[in-house]
Amino acid sequence: MTGTVRRLPWGAMARLAGRRALFAVPVVLVVTFGVFAIAAASPFDPVKAYAGTAALGADQETLDRLRENLGVDQSFVVRWWHWLTDALTGDLGHSSVLRQPVTQVIGERLVWSALLCAVAFAVAVTVGTLLGVLAARRPGSMPDRAITSLAYTLEAAPVFWIALLAVWLFALQWDVLPAGGLTDTASEQVTAGQVAGHIVLPAGVLAVSQLPWFTLYVRQGVGDALAEDPVRGARARGLRERTVLLQHALRSGLLPVLTLIGSRVPELITGALLVESVFSWPGIAAATVEAATAVDFPLLAALTVLATAAVLAGNLLADLLYGLFDPRVKLNEM
Amino acid sequence: MVMADAAVEKTGTAWRAAGGDRRSTRTLRLRTSAALLTVTVLAVLLVPPLVQLDQQAVDLAAKLRAPDWAHPFGTDDVGRDLLLRCVYGLRVSLLVGVAAALTATVVGTAVGAAAGAFGGWVDRGVMRVVDALSSVPHLLMGIFIVAMFRPGVWPVVASVALTHWLSTARIVRAEVLSLRARPHIDAAVSGGASRWRVTVRHLLPGVLPQAALAAVLMVPHAMWHESALSFLGLGLPTHTASLGNLIQEARGSLLAGQWWPTLFPGLFIIVPTLAVAGLAGAWRERINPRRRSELML
């Protein structure tokens, strides 16, 4: 794509980010309040969870004392407020299942989740654009029909099922890729080469699960753009098909897709959750499943907030991209 | 027709309108979707009461048989017939999906209609909460709810319903707002009808088709959600095995090289999903042909 190099409007971008951060505060308040309300309405008892099997033999007095110590005798609104004020000082509580502070759990695992998501998303966007353009070039043709059917089928397929079949095919039948984990079981150090080998399968599966919607929207956008006057004009001027496709149709067809990138962050997180659990990838998502199985409330609450923050960040990113790439959109007005 | 199509194909993109879907492929898609959905629903409704076969019948002599004529889908690690297990699993998944979609639609319609009918600060407040809650990824919220309430049928239904009503609420509210501007509502209000009466008698019937379409589209979504929860071991108890449970149980045999216990339950999720998407797409084309190329995801 040609275009004059312009300076990025840092000021407007920062102001937009600042406004969004302000709007994020009430969202986080509502979400955390909901989390605490659900926990309060559930039969889950933090005292029993804390004491574990010891609670079975303990007498009522000990349990009451423990209840008081944990602050569970207060209403959930009070506990919510304490959690929030603690969170502001960087204390998210202690994870009972992983026996670590929650902040440490997140700090250790966030890198691996982010790496997995980034690689998968990059692959999905590249391949998706390619397939989408290929399909949009000739609507109703053989490649179009093949790509569209494949996309709809993959969209309907559960990602964990694709992951399992991929393990079967690549790790068991062909034995070309490792079935899971971050490194080989024998090795003790995490090396870049090992990680690169182990990330191929999970990232590939995650990319495949994100591919369909991207392909379909690019096909839609480019197909619509191909039917519009600028493209007709470009063809009438005798421009090459390649130029028409890439510089006219793809450019305007990709714009609506940019906003969708942000709105698909929840699906990316959902996909990562399932993929990580199939491949024993040591990320945030695997911790979520462990926390849920063991009813580890502090960890679950923190991870829910973290995921919400990621979704909001995704929305912001989409708006920023849209503002940068579409000259009609003013960042100041968003 | 065929000749013309071939000619169009040869001339390439230059003079061809985008989205030149042929009518025949559209009807074919519609019929295939309808047929697949009918077969699925009939199988799920009729097989359990009519066929006197026990899905739990264990036959250790015939364990992990590859698909053959006696067992078209093969058998699992204790010799249970997978075709029968899949039909029963789909029955469970579908029931949970329908229950969850209905609950979500009722909640979403009530909230959306209330927000739209009251307007003002009620509307703004409710929709802000809806916006905030939709920032939480569905599966994560679902996992949280199921973890807090312990796995079981009702927590799973509740967890799917509580995460999916948001989109219905948005659709219904938008529809109510646009209906409110119509003359027959003005007529009812100036005729002295109460807010309650206007909402129930005039606004709700108008939004029902949209809400119903949303509910139908939500069923595959809810099935997917349920199977994901069950797959993570957080969903239905194993004695009411859904498709997700089947895939979860098959992990052991998959690692030993048997692919069929994993493959077929997954196909049972894909086929109804595609059929519903195909039908919904056809329905939308019919009521709004101009936007036929719009995506149904």
Side-chain angles (χ1 to χ4, degrees), chain A residues 98-116:
Chain A
L98 297 169
R99 311 216 167 275
Q100 279 177 314
V102 170
T103 41
Q104 200 183 335
V105 175
I106 293 176
E108 279 174 10
R109 288 165 174 261
L110 191 61
V111 184
W112 300 120
S113 284
L115 180 70
L116 178 68

Side-chain angles (χ1 to χ4, degrees), chain A residues 26-27 30-31 34-36 38-39 41-44 136-141 145 152-153 155-161 164-165 167-168 172-173 213 216-217 220 223-224 226-227 232 235 241 264 266 269-270 273-274 277-279 288-289 291-293 295 297 300-301 303-304 307-308 311-312 315, chain B residues 9-22 25 128-129 131-141 143-145 147-150 162 221 224 227-229 231-234 244 247-248 251 254-259 262-267 269-270 273-274 277 293-297:
Chain A
V27 172
V30 168
V31 169
V35 161
F36 273 82
I38 289 171
S42 77
F44 164 69
R137 260 183 59 185
R138 289 167 183 235
S141 66
R145 273 191 253 168
Y152 272 107
T153 312
E155 179 74 21
V159 52
F160 53 87
W161 179 74
L164 288 173
L165 291 180
V167 168
W168 178 77
L172 295 172
Q173 288 303 106
W213 67 270
L216 290 171
Y217 279 112
Q220 171 97 14
D224 285 352
L226 276 175
R232 190 166 300 155
R235 283 197 173 128
E241 186 61 25
R264 291 299 288 209
I269 294 176
T270 304
L273 205 90
L274 294 163
S277 101
V278 170
F279 289 100
T288 314
V289 178
T293 317
V295 205
F297 178 76
L300 271 179
L303 292 176
T304 311
T308 311
V311 172
L312 294 173
N315 291 345
Chain B
E9 215 114 275
K10 281 214 185 81
T11 53
T13 52
W15 298 104
R16 183 144 183 220
D21 240 358
R22 270 152 297 188
T25 52
R128 278 295 88 77
V129 171
D131 284 346
L133 290 182
S134 19
S135 307
V136 191
H138 284 174
L139 188 63
L140 198 60
M141 199 69 205
I143 287 178
F144 180 77
I145 295 172
M148 285 293 139
F149 285 87
R150 304 317 295 152
L162 281 176
H221 228 267
W224 186 96
S227 47
L229 285 176
F231 173 75
L232 293 173
L234 296 162
I247 297 177
Q248 162 70 19
R251 281 182 83 167
L254 184 85
L255 291 179
Q258 282 88 21
W259 48 268
T262 305
L263 180 75
F264 292 114
L267 290 182
I269 300 178
I270 296 180
T273 308
L274 284 179
S293 52
E294 199 160 288
L295 290 171
M296 305 285 300
L297 287 183

Side-chain angles (χ1 to χ4, degrees), chain B residues 67-153:
Chain B
D68 58 17
W69 285 113
H71 303 285
F73 284 9
T75 57
D76 70 0
D77 53 351
V78 288
R80 292 177 290 196
D81 180 60
L82 272 168
L83 175 57
L84 204 55
R85 295 274 290 162
C86 283
V87 171
Y88 273 86
L90 181 61
R91 185 181 163 90
V92 173
S93 292
L94 205 60
L95 277 178
V96 170
V98 169
L102 278 181
T103 320
T105 308
V106 169
V107 175
T109 308
V111 173
F118 279 101
W121 63 268
V122 177
D123 181 31
R124 276 199 297 279
V126 168
M127 291 329 279
R128 278 295 88 77
V129 171
V130 167
D131 284 346
L133 290 182
S134 19
S135 307
V136 191
H138 284 174
L139 188 63
L140 198 60
M141 199 69 205
I143 287 178
F144 180 77
I145 295 172
V146 174
M148 285 293 139
F149 285 87
R150 304 317 295 152
V153 175

Side-chain angles (χ1 to χ4, degrees), chain A residues 81-126:
Chain A
W81 189 249
H82 280 309
W83 186 87
L84 270 183
T85 42
D86 282 353
L88 280 181
T89 62
D91 175 19
L92 289 167
H94 195 87
S95 158
S96 58
V97 60
L98 297 169
R99 311 216 167 275
Q100 279 177 314
V102 170
T103 41
Q104 200 183 335
V105 175
I106 293 176
E108 279 174 10
R109 288 165 174 261
L110 191 61
V111 184
W112 300 120
S113 284
L115 180 70
L116 178 68
C117 288
V119 172
F121 208 66
V123 173
V125 167
T126 320

Side-chain angles (χ1 to χ4, degrees), chain A residues 126-327:
Chain A
T126 320
V127 180
T129 312
L130 216 67
L131 289 178
V133 172
L134 209 64
R137 260 183 59 185
R138 289 167 183 235
S141 66
M142 233 14 235
D144 177 29
R145 273 191 253 168
I147 289 172
T148 316
S149 324
L150 184 72
Y152 272 107
T153 312
L154 285 178
E155 179 74 21
V159 52
F160 53 87
W161 179 74
I162 301 177
L164 288 173
L165 291 180
V167 168
W168 178 77
L169 187 65
F170 292 103
L172 295 172
Q173 288 303 106
W174 295 349
D175 199 18
V176 285
L177 290 167
L182 190 62
T183 54
D184 291 335
T185 33
S187 80
E188 287 181 359
Q189 273 184 329
V190 180
T191 59
Q194 292 244 345
V195 174
H198 281 75
I199 204 175
V200 175
L201 211 43
V205 170
L206 191 53
V208 163
S209 78
Q210 299 301 311
L211 199 63
W213 67 270
F214 203 82
T215 307
L216 290 171
Y217 279 112
V218 169
R219 172 184 176 270
Q220 171 97 14
V222 173
D224 285 352
L226 276 175
E228 275 167 17
D229 289 342
V231 166
R232 190 166 300 155
R235 283 197 173 128
R237 293 200 302 279
L239 294 183
R240 279 185 310 166
E241 186 61 25
R242 211 184 125 87
T243 318
V244 173
L245 205 59
L246 294 184
Q247 294 193 3
H248 293 79
L250 183 61
R251 217 177 159 182
S252 67
L254 265 186
L255 279 178
V257 182
L258 280 181
T259 45
L260 287 165
I261 288 183
S263 65
R264 291 299 288 209
V265 169
E267 275 79 1
L268 188 66
I269 294 176
T270 304
L273 205 90
L274 294 163
V275 167
E276 282 188 13
S277 101
V278 170
F279 289 100
S280 327
W281 188 256
I284 292 278
T288 314
V289 178
E290 268 181 67
T293 317
V295 205
D296 188 346
F297 178 76
L299 189 52
L300 271 179
L303 292 176
T304 311
V305 177
L306 187 69
T308 311
V311 172
L312 294 173
N315 291 345
L316 172 67
L317 182 71
D319 285 348
L320 285 176
L321 285 178
Y322 205 54
L324 288 180
F325 285 103
D326 192 338

